[in-house]
Amino acid sequence: MIEIKEEQLEDILDKAIKKIETQHGMQLLSITKKIAPLDPLHFFEVAKGMKKNRTFWTSTIDDFYIVGVGNAVEIVAEEERFEVTENQWSKLLDEAIVYNPYKVPGTGIVTLGGMAFDPKKPRTDLWKKFSASQFTIPEYMLTKEDGSYYFTINIRLKRDDHAIQLANELEQVEATFFSERPRNTNGLITNEKIEIQPSEWKDSVRQAREEIRKNKAEKIVLAREVRLKFNKKADITTVLENLIQTQGNSFIFALEKNDDCFVGATPERLVKIEKDHLLSTCLAGTAPRGHTEEEDMAISHSLFHDEKNRQEHDFVVRMIKHAIKNYCTDLEIPDEPVIYPLKNLQHLYTPVTATLKKGYSIFDIIKQLHPTPALGGTPREESLQFIRDNELLDRGWYGAPVGWLDSNQNGEFAVAIRSGLIQGDEASLFAGCGVVKDSDPEAEYEETNIKLLPMLSVLGG
């Protein structure tokens, strides 16, 4: 990765073009500049007119945004996805030219994307546009970090490109993002809500419970699908806007593949890396919010002292500790969880901090952590095998790692729960629950209904 000093756009482009050695060679150039404040949702909406795929990420609690437009480079892996993705990413950074005097998280070369929950589960037509692992380096990107705004251009240059002509084109594109664009935000209405095999799903809960009672597993997480049909094509910008307004303390994301868009508002961080500082979180154990302050406190108290939820939470804490201890030093985990409140739900929450050892990357940690017991179960292989054999859906990217990483050794991934795959005027929503030896299928079914609320509420349901 070559860093270049502050110069005019034409000069930066001209120098990068001259580095291309062969007639058919290509050079990835990344240029980041600081810009005036620009609404990330406006940036996302303007891109709709460009007919390019869009990516969106925000950590609402940090007021941190990355919005990507287009596809300068795509990293796709179907086999050995962690190793292949990391190797392609490292090779790309080694060969790229980067102009980024700021080096704040989410600037420079950034790739956004995610992975399938279980690549061994056969892919259905529902998820045909999403690979086992797929990351996009956008052509144009807006980053909001610590109250400042940054605009990044990632461009693949050819030897016969003309610097002045390219500079003019890029400046026109940048100006487009600042232009006014009216937006139709008329309400979306769910005309039809189709429960996919609810009785069969409850049967699978009973079957999982029997496996656990035979000591073949301690916990198995089973997910189900609800299919929605709308009165019109869903506007993704409006969906994101509503999620931002209603789902505080969440990671809100959108990953667009042509007419399909995977969208969610997940409270569950998998891992965050800043240089060598690591933060992971255990989020397991769920209850609804109360209608009054007194009722809310009573539910919180009940959640905190509920044996099933505490057991479920402890599974996750122990797994995360065991998974990352060989990759980190200075590992710190509190003795007890706290209550983590969201708009519709509340969870048991435990933060985990550590220092990443030299020679390891965020991909090493993701590989160890995914899937957590909150999404797969425990033991991992036994629960995953049961899910492969018995779950009634293709999870696709539901419950899997989604997030971003940059050329400055920063990155953050969340677990893609509270999510749905939007396809024009239809959508599939997903929710799951952890089955243990005393699970009641009806109670688990009601828990999934609660977990569907965040997405239903913004999709006219």
Side-chain angles (χ1 to χ4, degrees):
M1 187 166 63
I2 305 168
E3 295 280 354
I4 51 184
K5 296 176 183 176
E6 185 169 1
E7 294 168 16
Q8 293 297 314
L9 181 58
E10 295 93 329
D11 293 335
I12 294 171
L13 290 163
D14 188 54
K15 285 185 176 180
I17 291 166
K18 287 176 178 174
K19 286 187 176 292
I20 301 171
E21 295 178 356
T22 64
Q23 187 65 39
H24 301 291
M26 302 279 281
Q27 175 66 61
L28 178 62
L29 171 66
S30 179
I31 305 168
T32 299
K33 61 184 285 190
K34 209 167 188 176
I35 59 171
L38 180 58
D39 180 3
L41 286 170
H42 175 80
F43 190 92
F44 187 85
E45 176 67 13
V46 168
K48 185 162 66 173
M50 297 179 177
K51 307 296 184 188
K52 294 176 183 286
N53 286 335
R54 302 170 293 175
T55 46
F56 185 95
W57 175 274
T58 180
S59 171
T60 57
I61 199 167
D62 302 315
D63 195 29
F64 173 82
Y65 288 82
I66 302 174
V67 187
V69 177
N71 177 9
V73 181
E74 194 159 66
I75 300 172
V76 177
E78 293 291 353
E79 309 259 331
E80 298 181 337
R81 54 192 181 156
F82 296 102
E83 295 78 9
V84 170
T85 302
E86 181 167 19
N87 288 341
Q88 288 190 40
W89 172 246
S90 298
K91 183 174 186 292
L92 184 145
L93 292 186
D94 286 343
E95 297 172 355
I97 297 175
V98 178
Y99 168 64
N100 178 20
Y102 314 101
K103 297 186 181 179
V104 302
T107 64
I109 297 181
V110 176
T111 189
L112 304 97
M115 300 177 173
F117 178 82
D118 180 6
K120 293 182 181 179
K121 180 95 170 182
R123 192 181 309 160
T124 64
D125 279 349
L126 183 68
W127 291 95
K128 63 185 178 183
K129 295 178 183 175
F130 292 78
S131 302
S133 175
Q134 198 166 357
F135 288 84
T136 298
I137 296 169
E139 294 172 61
Y140 311 106
M141 190 177 72
L142 173 71
T143 306
K144 181 184 179 185
E145 202 273 341
D146 196 24
S148 295
Y149 297 77
Y150 304 88
F151 179 64
T152 298
I153 295 165
N154 297 304
I155 183 170
R156 297 180 72 179
L157 299 169
K158 302 185 293 293
R159 193 175 179 183
D160 57 357
D161 281 332
H162 296 280
I164 294 174
Q165 180 183 339
L166 264 180
N168 288 335
E169 291 173 2
L170 293 172
E171 284 168 352
Q172 286 174 14
V173 171
E174 182 183 346
T176 302
F177 287 111
F178 282 90
S179 64
E180 291 296 322
R181 184 181 177 89
R183 183 152 64 88
N184 182 1
T185 58
N186 289 342
L188 192 68
I189 298 171
T190 296
N191 287 335
E192 192 174 0
K193 178 183 170 189
I194 305 163
E195 303 263 350
I196 307 297
Q197 298 179 287
S199 298
E200 291 85 346
W201 184 82
K202 291 173 191 176
D203 287 340
S204 69
V205 171
R206 293 184 187 95
Q207 189 178 350
R209 185 179 64 187
E210 290 309 306
E211 292 291 295
I212 293 163
R213 288 174 177 176
K214 293 174 185 174
N215 296 318
K216 293 184 179 179
E218 292 180 75
K219 173 186 172 185
I220 298 169
V221 179
L222 291 174
R224 68 185 189 93
E225 176 187 355
V226 173
R227 188 73 177 172
L228 307 179
K229 295 186 178 181
F230 309 124
N231 61 323
K232 61 178 182 178
K233 186 175 180 179
D235 179 68
I236 305 300
T237 309
T238 304
V239 173
L240 290 172
E241 184 174 42
N242 291 337
L243 287 172
I244 290 166
Q245 290 173 355
T246 60
Q247 301 301 317
N249 295 351
S250 294
F251 302 96
I252 295 169
F253 62 88
L255 300 162
E256 199 171 50
K257 307 294 177 189
N258 300 324
D259 293 329
D260 292 5
C261 191
F262 185 45
V263 182
T266 172
E268 187 167 349
R269 174 190 286 114
L270 189 65
V271 61
K272 180 179 183 178
I273 300 279
E274 287 189 356
K275 306 302 182 188
D276 63 353
H277 180 72
L278 180 150
L279 171 64
S280 185
T281 50
C282 313
L283 201 75
T286 305
R289 297 300 303 271
H291 296 292
T292 65
E293 188 174 342
E294 292 76 12
E295 184 187 15
D296 199 49
M297 289 180 66
I299 293 171
S300 296
H301 183 270
S302 177
L303 173 63
F304 187 83
H305 294 281
D306 180 75
E307 184 178 351
K308 175 187 179 292
N309 279 294
R310 287 295 291 265
Q311 182 187 43
E312 189 174 334
H313 188 81
D314 191 49
F315 280 147
V316 181
V317 173
R318 283 188 281 130
M319 189 286 287
I320 290 180
K321 180 180 179 180
H322 178 75
I324 69 174
K325 64 181 181 181
N326 294 331
Y327 298 82
C328 303
T329 59
D330 308 319
L331 184 62
E332 293 187 12
I333 305 175
D335 293 331
E336 281 197 321
V338 296
I339 298 294
Y340 194 78
L342 301 168
K343 181 177 176 61
N344 309 99
L345 304 168
Q346 47 192 321
H347 300 281
L348 295 173
Y349 167 89
T350 299
V352 177
T353 59
T355 301
L356 190 65
K357 289 180 181 177
K358 279 187 169 40
Y360 294 117
S361 74
I362 196 168
F363 288 107
D364 294 306
I365 302 301
I366 295 169
K367 186 176 181 179
Q368 293 303 312
L369 291 179
H370 175 73
T372 70
L375 271 299
T378 186
R380 178 184 287 180
E381 288 309 314
E382 286 80 355
S383 57
L384 275 179
Q385 192 59 55
F386 185 91
I387 292 167
R388 280 183 206 124
D389 294 341
N390 298 281
E391 197 167 66
L392 303 170
L393 76 156
D394 171 16
R395 291 191 188 187
W397 284 23
Y398 164 73
V402 295
W404 62 274
L405 58 154
D406 68 20
S407 50
N408 308 310
Q409 296 176 290
N410 305 300
E412 187 159 36
F413 281 77
V415 181
I417 56 175
R418 316 289 191 268
S419 56
L421 180 64
I422 298 176
Q423 299 172 303
D425 61 356
E426 298 188 20
S428 283
L429 305 186
F430 310 93
C433 60
V435 180
V436 294
K437 64 180 181 179
D438 296 323
S439 286
D440 171 42
E442 289 298 332
E444 302 295 0
Y445 175 79
E446 288 307 320
E447 182 176 320
T448 60
N449 282 331
I450 293 169
K451 291 175 177 177
L452 289 166
L453 282 175
M455 287 301 296
L456 277 172
S457 66
V458 300
L459 292 173

